[in-house]
Amino acid sequence: VCQHRMTSAIEKQITAFLEGWNEMVDPDLISIFSAKELELLISGMPDIDIHDLKKNTEYNGYRPADKEIGWFWNIMFSLKRSEKAAFLQFVTGSSKVPLSGFSELSGMRGVQKFSINKAASGPAGALMSAHTCFNALDLPVYKSEEEMKEKLHYAISEGGGGFGFA
């Protein structure tokens, strides 16, 4: 379903866009950039309001008062601007904040708030995972805030490179 909606259902529109784009910008000039780099060149680094993200977050299996959620938000507030953008890219598939803020975050089914889901029990030290179509983060239980921060940094630096269709 995702593949159809994102490719074949809009194939004519994508082709028309690319023809127009290639008239304005020589493809050889931009071929040296990755998609993320090109997005940053065109749009710049986004300003991400973590307070707004927190206010517009839903929890499944966790409660806002849980220590793990406290750790998560401590980490989020401590991130550099580029890391916040990488996190947003990791969990939503875009480093862009909606114009109206996170209350208008789009998902596969229209407006869909960011959610933190308690990950099913797995091996100790498992990585967090994201579902970009649903703006969801599966957050395992970690032993400490330091371990969570290490796993988050690894996930956003190594896990934000793209996705595949199963």
Side-chain angles (χ1 to χ4, degrees):
V1 172
C2 280
Q3 185 173 9
H4 171 72
R5 287 187 179 188
M6 295 174 67
T7 57
S8 55
I10 57 171
E11 188 173 0
K12 289 180 186 175
Q13 292 90 338
I14 291 172
T15 301
F17 173 80
L18 288 173
E19 287 174 1
W21 175 265
N22 291 335
E23 282 182 24
M24 295 172 40
V25 180
D26 183 349
D28 292 333
L29 294 176
I30 60 169
S31 65
I32 62 170
F33 299 109
S34 70
K36 283 185 194 176
E37 291 169 334
L38 189 57
E39 181 182 6
L40 283 173
L41 282 172
I42 293 170
S43 303
M45 183 68 68
D47 189 23
I48 298 169
D49 182 352
I50 298 300
H51 290 286
D52 186 42
L53 178 62
K54 184 177 180 181
K55 184 173 75 174
N56 289 288
T57 296
E58 297 173 345
Y59 302 93
N60 300 303
Y62 281 115
R63 295 182 321 266
D66 288 340
K67 69 180 178 190
E68 293 86 358
I69 297 303
W71 295 344
F72 175 80
W73 291 116
N74 288 343
I75 294 164
M76 291 302 297
F77 282 110
S78 75
L79 295 178
K80 294 182 258 175
R81 195 172 181 179
S82 61
E83 293 169 327
K84 290 175 187 175
F87 174 80
L88 192 58
Q89 178 78 39
F90 176 68
V91 296
T92 69
S94 172
S95 60
K96 298 283 174 270
V97 177
L99 291 175
S100 302
F102 285 106
S103 64
E104 295 296 319
L105 191 61
S106 271
M108 190 171 158
R109 298 182 183 118
V111 173
Q112 197 158 0
K113 289 187 176 185
F114 171 60
S115 65
I116 300 175
N117 306 313
K118 192 171 197 173
S121 61
L127 290 174
M128 54 194 71
S129 60
H131 306 276
T132 57
C133 289
F134 304 106
N135 303 323
L137 178 71
D138 289 347
L139 185 65
V141 175
Y142 293 111
K143 294 177 188 168
S144 68
E145 185 172 341
E146 293 73 30
E147 181 185 17
M148 183 185 287
K149 186 173 187 172
E150 175 189 319
K151 301 297 183 181
L152 182 115
H153 276 118
Y154 185 80
I156 65 175
S157 64
E158 301 297 329
F163 61 91
F165 293 109

